[in-house]
Amino acid sequence: MKKLIGTTLALLSMATYGQAKEDSIQFRTISTEILNNGKGYEELRDLTQNIGKRLSGSEAYEKAVQWAAKELRNAGADKVWLQEVMIPVWKRGKESLYIKAGSGKPQSLKMLSLGNSEGTGGKDVSGEIIMVKSLEEYDRLPAEKVKGKIVFFNHPFDQNYVQTFIAYREAGAYRRSAATLTAKKGGKFAIVRSLSSALDDVPHTGGMKYEDNMEKIPAVCIGNTTADQLEELLKNQKVIATLNSNCGMKGEKLSHSVIGEITGKKDQSVIVVGGHLDSWDVGEGAHDDGAGIVQSIEVLRTFKKLGIQNNHTIRAVCFANEENGTKGGKQYGKTAKDTNEKHLFAIESDAGGFSPRGISLEMDDTKRKQIQGWGNLFLPYGVYNFEGKYSGSDIAPLHDMGVPAAELVPDPQRYFDIHHTEEDTFEKVNRRELLLGSVVMTQLIYMIDKNW
Amino acid sequence: MKKLIGTTLALLSMATYGQAKEDSIQFRTISTEILNNGKGYEELRDLTQNIGKRLSGSEAYEKAVQWAAKELRNAGADKVWLQEVMIPVWKRGKESLYIKAGSGKPQSLKMLSLGNSEGTGGKDVSGEIIMVKSLEEYDRLPAEKVKGKIVFFNHPFDQNYVQTFIAYREAGAYRRSAATLTAKKGGKFAIVRSLSSALDDVPHTGGMKYEDNMEKIPAVCIGNTTADQLEELLKNQKVIATLNSNCGMKGEKLSHSVIGEITGKKDQSVIVVGGHLDSWDVGEGAHDDGAGIVQSIEVLRTFKKLGIQNNHTIRAVCFANEENGTKGGKQYGKTAKDTNEKHLFAIESDAGGFSPRGISLEMDDTKRKQIQGWGNLFLPYGVYNFEGKYSGSDIAPLHDMGVPAAELVPDPQRYFDIHHTEEDTFEKVNRRELLLGSVVMTQLIYMIDKNW
């Protein structure tokens, strides 16, 4: 009996070894194909430089929809379609922010209204600036000190975190809720220090949210240098700020997410790989999230090009409206639920097109451990970290329905220098780093398609 | 007895745990200090933009020597000195390369003479181009086919390798030996396709070497796009190349490496951290190796600033002449040997100022395993790879004397896009990535200082 078990174990371990070797060879084939023949970088150049920034509701976004459908067909998808979704239309328009310190002359500040913010309706709105460094400090301020004032939330991005996403999440509270917090105490508008890891003067826009039944007052952001200068000014004198802006929500509009798939050879349960097609209305949306889009399309192309016989359907989804509503992700989840379409797995790339370092896994422990067990296969590709427990905002509705979800984890050091800014442009993306992201997602999907 | 062993083990493991916790806290303190107060990025701006490129023997290099001494003093070094070293002086001068395809007009090619190459003495040297794709192909060519010709070594950088340094080493053989190989078969000069991972037209210079007693004919490099175009032209017609260049070796010169140290509290055995102060004569030498210089100075500053009581002497060495002679490293090693100065450990940073991923260890297995055993402490800083077995070229002489040596291993995807080119400039360096390199080297030196 002992001998039998021994033999069985030996055979099993030989089988496992043979398996690992076969997988390792397939990993190399995928990497060789993409690093040599990948089209993602040139696709990204096209998307970012010929279409450019593409906020939900803009003409550019609609062009991007057609572009994505074309690229998915070129990648060899068996089926490409547009998924209807109602999206919010937010527009920036003209905007200006002046300050007047003491008896000095008014000076213009470099700024951006935060995304989804209402403006001043083209009128000047003025008030004295009061500064707080933290939410706790703001909470302690009595309402009469805020009433009629402009609140400057001057909370810096915490450089301590090696994982910059933690600093982003922490500072994000200010961007999201500054307007409502200010309105609650009778302030006129809010100025928020940008969520930026760079030591420069670039303002970083991004989504903010109004609480229901609260007055919708404006919120704007300024760059780090301007924030430091304003802090300095406020030490010695009264500073009056005057905002004039035309931004605001302009209703809803019918738009689309774009979907392409290669049909499963064994069944039609779905593996999703995706990113979001929209961007903010500044820069070119290169890292956020043109990168995720072209990486997802590359996954499909690679399966097709290498003739890998996928058991399950592999679907690239270019989600609409991640930045200011996540309506594309929500609609995708709803449709999957309504049509009772079985989803096996979903992965999103929405953290920049930098060198991959890991895959974050939001799923039950058994599946999580299984994927972690494949870790050694990924090491030669620089991917070692499978400890994260989150996935992406577009696939959150799928995960809420019980679908195992994941996110590609690239190197996070540069992302928040450029995120949601004029600086998020094509030339900030490195070809090899971008393509390696596609390599790793293709490898993971190959493993999941084969083993689940 | 069993109980006694059990208790001893439990105590030992508690001690180990306490130790690991203390180290982990010190790691965090180091990281917090550098990510918030690190001066390396601003120092690098100063070095690259106010002094700029600084080839051995140039006036700029001598300015860099004074600059480094000043920065080491500012960092709080107990002692700063210049170490004399004779270095080769190579100068580029005017250079041009024209080709004439069939009966067409001459056209100028973007090019750079390779470092250390002799020129044509200001005269035109012309000949028909023959192309080879590999050294093997060249070896098979009979000498009469090469005689009087120009050999174009068109070996592309292999994009397959995730570890781009492997591709660099492989393709490096062409740059180093093209001239001598060509001379051996009677060719007039060599054109080498650049060792470049970028899909652009930027030529990458770098060191070449003449074999003793061989004719010193010129070698130049061209960018990838030009190389592809030349390959295309050669398919259908004779192409004549004409080189005119003034470069060449102009003897030797007395120069200096720059050294600063903080004295050991327990003994004066030395831990070295270093990079090279010289650069090629194009670009700004930002990643190669301004980064390594400012990171090494940062290590000293951090020990001093945090008041860490170092047992052994910690020495930052800014080596002279790594690029075209490694005379600084050789002289340092020789001096250490001559003065019988005990060295405990040496680490070099000379692979770019990108996000650190690992530490490569060139030392005996016991020490190697000890450092690998500290691996978990480094994981929160993105450092996971301790598998490499090489160190740096400047500290090779120390390693040859038996000193355990190491190299910082940053993310390698972007380095060979810009290495030895006009594009190696300050704005390609990211502040957080650069500082993290200092964090990791400081942490490692803290551990070695404490445990060796």
Side-chain angles (χ1 to χ4, degrees), chain A residues 167-234:
Chain A
Y168 175 69
R169 247 169 274 152
E170 190 202 79
Y174 293 83
R175 190 186 75 200
R176 277 189 298 279
S177 46
T180 287
L181 288 171
T182 301
K184 279 183 177 171
K185 294 189 180 180
K188 288 182 169 171
F189 65 88
I191 301 174
V192 184
R193 184 188 184 104
S194 284
L195 281 60
S196 167
S197 53
L199 307 184
D200 61 21
D201 202 29
V202 178
H204 294 226
T205 188
M208 53 81 73
K209 227 179 133 110
Y210 291 111
E211 268 180 39
D212 291 342
N213 309 317
M214 280 305 305
E215 197 193 346
K216 294 183 174 177
I217 66 168
V220 305
C221 67
I222 56 178
N224 277 323
T225 316
T226 294
D228 288 341
Q229 287 164 350
L230 184 52
E231 177 174 354
E232 205 49 39
L233 278 180
L234 285 164

Side-chain angles (χ1 to χ4, degrees), chain A residues 9 32 80 88 103 120 127-128 138 167 211 216 285-286 312 320-321 332 346 390 417-418:
Chain A
L9 283 177
T32 297
V80 175
S103 54
T120 65
E128 185 189 342
Y138 184 74
E211 268 180 39
K216 294 183 174 177
H312 314 288
N321 181 237
Y332 184 88
Y390 52 90
D417 283 8
I418 56 161

Side-chain angles (χ1 to χ4, degrees), chain A residues 299-331:
Chain A
V299 172
L300 246 58
R301 176 186 299 112
T302 307
F303 266 82
K304 209 70 188 181
K305 175 93 179 284
L306 296 178
I308 302 173
Q309 296 297 303
N310 50 305
N311 293 325
H312 314 288
T313 292
I314 299 172
R315 186 179 284 175
V317 185
C318 307
F319 292 99
N321 181 237
E322 193 271 345
E323 293 294 6
N324 64 334
T326 58
K327 298 289 187 189
K330 283 169 188 150
Q331 182 61 54

Side-chain angles (χ1 to χ4, degrees), chain B residues 356-418:
Chain B
R357 282 182 168 259
I359 299 161
S360 174
L361 304 167
E362 194 172 16
M363 57 189 66
D364 70 53
D365 259 14
T366 314
K367 290 208 155 49
R368 191 178 160 76
K369 290 212 170 94
Q370 186 186 13
I371 294 179
Q372 288 172 335
W374 302 332
N376 279 341
L377 285 165
F378 288 96
L379 256 187
Y381 306 91
V383 166
Y384 62 98
N385 184 351
F386 295 85
E387 296 307 312
K389 293 191 169 183
Y390 51 91
S391 61
S393 51
D394 289 311
I395 58 176
L398 284 177
H399 179 256
D400 290 345
M401 290 155 56
V403 179
E407 184 162 45
L408 184 68
V409 181
D411 192 288
Q413 301 311 320
R414 293 180 182 226
Y415 194 50
F416 294 107
D417 284 8
I418 56 161

Side-chain angles (χ1 to χ4, degrees), chain B residues 6-239:
Chain B
T7 312
T8 311
L9 284 176
L11 283 172
L12 264 175
S13 113
M14 274 172 68
T16 310
Y17 173 76
Q19 202 47 65
K21 198 177 158 194
E22 185 190 311
D23 291 335
S24 163
I25 290 170
Q26 187 64 273
F27 270 44
R28 174 59 55 199
T29 305
I30 290 167
S31 169
T32 297
E33 167 58 25
I34 296 178
L35 288 177
N36 284 288
N37 306 320
K39 303 216 183 311
Y41 186 65
E42 287 308 319
E43 273 176 17
L44 186 63
R45 187 197 302 273
D46 189 25
L47 175 63
T48 54
Q49 304 203 323
N50 294 329
I51 297 178
K53 56 196 182 190
R54 47 197 181 278
L55 183 63
S56 288
S58 66
E59 226 176 281
Y61 181 76
E62 297 308 319
K63 279 187 197 164
V65 166
Q66 297 308 319
W67 175 92
K70 182 192 72 187
E71 293 301 337
L72 282 163
R73 280 189 296 267
N74 290 346
D78 297 324
K79 201 178 146 194
V80 175
W81 71 101
L82 309 186
Q83 183 172 73
E84 291 192 348
V85 52
M86 291 301 291
I87 53 166
V89 180
W90 179 80
K91 283 190 178 162
R92 181 175 301 280
K94 271 180 73 172
E95 54 190 9
S96 68
L97 177 65
Y98 284 85
I99 55 166
K100 191 174 173 308
S103 54
K105 283 186 183 163
Q107 66 179 104
S108 168
L109 296 193
K110 195 169 169 182
M111 53 77 79
L112 284 173
S113 292
L114 289 175
N116 295 349
S117 174
E118 293 299 320
T120 65
K123 291 177 196 153
D124 280 0
V125 174
S126 293
E128 185 189 342
I129 299 178
I130 53 169
M131 183 188 86
V132 292
K133 287 282 224 174
S134 69
L135 290 178
E136 296 68 33
E137 190 185 340
Y138 183 74
D139 286 344
R140 287 194 302 268
L141 272 185
E144 67 262 29
K145 292 222 167 180
V146 177
K147 200 169 154 48
K149 302 269 172 57
I150 315 306
V151 184
F152 170 31
F153 291 89
N154 189 24
H155 182 78
F157 190 96
D158 191 341
Q159 297 283 357
N160 279 340
Y161 293 105
V162 177
Q163 300 308 325
T164 53
F165 279 82
I166 303 176
Y168 176 69
R169 247 170 274 151
E170 190 201 78
Y174 293 83
R175 189 186 75 201
R176 278 190 298 279
S177 44
T180 287
L181 288 172
T182 301
K184 278 183 177 170
K185 294 190 180 179
K188 288 182 169 173
F189 66 88
I191 302 174
V192 183
R193 184 189 184 103
S194 284
L195 281 61
S196 167
S197 53
L199 307 183
D200 61 20
D201 202 29
V202 178
H204 294 226
T205 189
M208 53 82 72
K209 226 180 134 112
Y210 292 111
E211 269 180 37
D212 291 341
N213 308 317
M214 281 304 307
E215 197 193 345
K216 294 183 174 177
I217 66 168
V220 304
C221 66
I222 55 178
N224 277 323
T225 315
T226 293
D228 288 341
Q229 288 164 350
L230 184 52
E231 178 175 354
E232 204 51 40
L233 278 179
L234 285 164
K235 282 182 183 161
N236 306 312
Q237 62 227 292
K238 272 195 183 181
V239 181

